Amino acid sequence: MYIVTATEMYEMDRLAMEEKGLDGKILMENAGQAVAKKIKSHIKTEDIILILIGSGNNGGDGYVIARYLYNQGYSLRIIQLVPNEKITGDAAYHKHVLEQFGAEVELFEQMERKQLEGAIHQADILVDAMLGIGVKGSIRSPFKEMIKLINDAKNLTIAVDVPSGMPMDGTRAHDQIVRADYTYVIGAAKTSMFHASLAPNFGHWEVVEIGLPTEAFQQLTNKQIWGLNFVQATLPKRSPFSHKGTHGKGVIIGGSLEMPGSITMAAKAALRSGIGLLTVATVQEAIPSIAAQCTEATFYRLAGEHGTIAKQPMDLSGYDVCLIGMGMGRSAQSSAFTKQLLEETELPVVVDADGLNHIKDHLELLSKRKAPTILTPHPGEMATLLKVSVAEVVNHPFQVAKDFAKAYGVYLVLKGTYTIITTPEGKQWVNTTGNAGLAKGGSGDTLAGIIMAMIAQNQSLSAAIANSCFIHGKAAELLVEQSHSSYDLLATDVIEAIPSVIRTFLSER
């Protein structure tokens, strides 16, 4: 499933109409009918449906929705929020057809506030077709007042394409955006659906197809949702003649006397995710605790200073992939060790947790590396790397991730409710699996371990990273569905659910 910005969506519409010959009226008809069919699943015959219509394509879709429902005998009120002269082009055509079918379109400018409030109060369902993806700047009257009335009313609200007031990039005050219960998104997912501060306004969402050419998406956007179809196509299937060396040899570097747990979780996750051979490199003081829980791993004893890893040479030539950072602490010695490893190691390196802090003032190291580097920050860590506010990261996640990945030549896993995976070339995927149970300490360590194990196996680097995010989130979903809640779910529970998730995907292929 593709993800687009407002600019990309407009260009796709243009390409479909001007280069492929699809009439705009047909696209509007397809969009309106597709959404109307979805709306029918939420309404009963006796329900009163209030459709609120603005100008432009969003309003035009609203006229088609109204005609479709009116023609099937549903009780409607249709209120147009802009003067008639604002309804032009394809939208004007569909308004004319609606009126020819016998439906009445009421004008907002001719209504008193009490009449408007009464219409909202009497309605069972509100359909928001007021403002689409082209909204810029502050929300003006009458939409500002209407958005407040909708949100205060608590009716079941269904938005067309995006909730009105939704910015396609950046943020807006929540009282200027419709809070929809359901949103039926036209043609392709929109970037704002994956912004942490904006996503709740969409409610439950679903993308409806309207016949846009696939070529347009491939040509105009580098952003997609990494779904089950991608996992099943790329997750490597094991040969009966494979052996432990076939599935990669990895080393996890981290841990300390006071923090052995995080590297333990990463190691267990890597083992459950299919790595062939695993070495845990840490200080002597941490080994007994880790070894008691990871009997399948071997250990590499690192020199330490006050229970943390000290700067020292380390030969990694016998490994296929390295993971560094979790539980290392932030001492000057451990920081120097991380920087040295990135300078000297020619393996793919996954940098997580404390490792990200070690490199925040030395990002030039990333650009100089010839082997792939994978960074796994959450928004706070990303803000630290960039020396910007967390709000800047949360409000512009796609652009922030893309700019950073391209600037430093890294694979970036920007973690969150919707994790964004970005390649050095700027191609992006969004992972939508997971739940609130992952909002706990240890979840990031677990994900890092899965990523390392997947990189060691036979799949492309981008697929390995995206599959890891999918599996991690899906394990949490499976556990909450079957035996846990989002309150009690632990990272160690997620690790133990990895086999069930992988077995399910392998058996379905």
Side-chain angles (χ1 to χ4, degrees):
M1 184 185 298
Y2 291 93
I3 304 168
V4 298
T5 64
T7 301
E8 289 166 344
M9 194 69 218
Y10 286 133
E11 182 61 16
M12 285 177 190
D13 285 341
R14 187 203 64 78
L15 188 150
M17 290 185 286
E18 296 182 11
E19 298 185 22
K20 303 300 181 184
L22 265 176
D23 194 294
K25 299 181 183 67
I26 295 175
L27 289 174
M28 194 169 284
E29 179 74 19
N30 292 348
Q33 286 211 23
V35 174
K37 289 175 182 177
K38 296 295 181 181
I39 291 173
K40 282 180 62 178
S41 66
H42 301 287
I43 57 180
K44 302 183 289 292
T45 305
E46 65 271 19
D47 284 340
I48 298 174
I49 306 157
L50 176 59
I51 302 180
L52 301 165
I53 293 179
S55 58
N57 289 345
N58 203 243
D61 296 339
Y63 292 125
V64 177
I65 293 166
R67 171 167 52 82
Y68 187 90
L69 296 176
Y70 177 83
N71 199 45
Q72 295 196 14
Y74 289 98
S75 299
L76 304 182
R77 286 194 72 175
I78 306 159
I79 298 177
Q80 177 183 305
L81 275 79
V82 296
N84 280 324
E85 59 266 26
K86 295 285 188 179
I87 307 299
T88 60
D90 298 332
Y93 166 82
H94 281 293
K95 178 187 178 183
H96 174 72
V97 174
L98 170 65
E99 291 177 326
Q100 290 299 107
F101 269 60
E104 178 189 0
V105 177
E106 302 176 66
L107 296 181
F108 172 86
E109 60 188 4
Q110 296 176 0
M111 301 177 70
E112 296 181 358
R113 183 180 177 88
K114 286 185 178 180
Q115 291 177 296
L116 190 61
E117 291 175 348
I120 292 174
H121 178 73
Q122 292 167 10
D124 298 292
I125 310 289
L126 299 179
V127 177
D128 166 23
M130 298 185 295
L131 298 170
I133 60 176
V135 178
K136 296 180 180 178
S138 59
I139 305 300
R140 301 176 183 176
S141 295
F143 299 103
K144 182 177 179 179
E145 292 79 9
M146 182 58 72
I147 288 170
K148 186 177 188 310
L149 286 173
I150 291 171
N151 290 341
D152 289 345
K154 310 299 182 184
N155 301 62
L156 180 70
T157 301
I158 301 172
V160 180
D161 199 19
V162 297
S164 285
M166 180 64 63
M168 285 302 291
D169 193 21
T171 59
R172 189 189 307 284
H174 282 285
D175 62 358
Q176 295 187 39
I177 307 174
V178 165
R179 291 192 295 271
D181 297 293
Y182 296 89
T183 301
Y184 292 106
V185 186
I186 307 298
K190 309 304 191 293
T191 53
S192 54
M193 295 162 59
F194 309 104
H195 291 207
S197 61
L198 300 175
N201 291 78
F202 282 85
H204 301 280
W205 57 263
E206 182 180 344
V207 175
V208 297
E209 301 292 336
I210 63 170
L212 292 169
T214 302
E215 176 188 336
F217 293 104
Q218 296 170 341
Q219 180 179 328
L220 296 171
T221 182
N222 279 326
K223 300 177 290 297
Q224 288 181 271
I225 293 174
W226 188 269
L228 178 58
N229 59 325
F230 284 126
V231 180
Q232 292 179 331
T234 59
L235 195 67
K237 194 167 186 177
R238 297 199 162 186
S239 165
F241 302 102
S242 62
H243 53 81
K244 59 188 178 183
T246 308
H247 309 304
K249 187 175 182 181
V251 57
I252 301 180
I253 302 170
S256 60
L257 172 62
E258 295 182 349
M259 294 182 287
S262 55
I263 192 171
T264 303
M265 287 184 284
K268 291 176 72 174
L271 290 165
R272 285 296 188 191
S273 301
I275 196 164
L277 291 164
L278 178 67
T279 297
V280 175
T282 189
V283 293
Q284 174 60 43
E285 295 93 327
I287 291 177
S289 171
I290 303 167
Q293 301 179 68
C294 298
T295 55
E296 296 85 358
T298 58
F299 290 84
Y300 186 115
R301 186 174 61 189
L302 292 171
E305 183 178 84
H306 307 299
T308 61
I309 297 170
K311 183 180 180 182
Q312 60 201 281
M314 186 176 182
D315 181 10
L316 298 181
S317 59
Y319 299 98
D320 300 309
V321 60
C322 171
L323 167 60
I324 187 169
M326 59 285 303
M328 287 180 74
R330 300 182 181 182
S331 70
Q333 282 289 310
S334 62
S335 180
F337 176 82
T338 301
K339 288 180 283 186
Q340 175 182 290
L341 183 138
L342 287 170
E343 288 174 334
E344 298 177 356
T345 300
E346 296 181 359
L347 301 176
V349 176
V350 182
V351 185
D352 184 52
D354 291 328
L356 296 169
N357 187 270
H358 295 164
I359 64 171
K360 70 180 189 299
D361 296 320
H362 306 278
L363 297 180
E364 71 281 356
L365 296 175
L366 304 174
S367 303
K368 294 176 181 178
R369 296 197 77 238
K370 294 181 180 179
T373 309
I374 303 91
L375 306 186
T376 60
H378 56 59
E381 292 166 334
M382 191 75 236
T384 298
L385 291 174
L386 289 171
K387 296 179 172 58
V388 299
S389 68
V390 175
E392 176 67 18
V393 176
V394 171
N395 294 342
H396 307 279
F398 286 95
Q399 196 62 49
V400 164
K402 182 177 179 179
D403 290 346
F404 188 93
K406 293 180 72 172
Y408 295 103
V410 300
Y411 291 81
L412 188 73
V413 183
L414 182 54
K415 296 182 292 192
T417 302
Y418 297 114
T419 293
I420 301 173
I421 301 105
T422 308
T423 71
E425 298 75 33
K427 193 166 186 179
Q428 294 181 306
W429 292 275
V430 173
N431 176 62
T432 61
T433 64
N435 54 39
L438 291 173
K440 287 195 178 77
S443 290
D445 305 313
T446 300
L447 175 59
I450 301 171
I451 290 173
M452 189 199 73
M454 286 291 161
I455 290 173
Q457 298 173 66
N458 185 28
Q459 55 195 308
S460 71
L461 192 54
S462 55
I465 297 168
N467 284 340
S468 300
C469 296
F470 187 98
I471 291 167
H472 181 245
K474 206 67 179 177
E477 290 181 359
L478 184 68
L479 287 165
V480 169
E481 287 171 6
Q482 296 181 350
S483 58
H484 288 267
S485 72
S486 59
Y487 288 87
D488 65 84
L489 189 67
L490 301 177
T492 48
D493 299 324
V494 173
I495 293 168
E496 296 308 314
I498 292 170
S500 296
V501 176
I502 296 176
R503 184 175 66 249
T504 299
F505 295 151
L506 288 174
S507 65
E508 290 181 358
R509 290 192 293 176

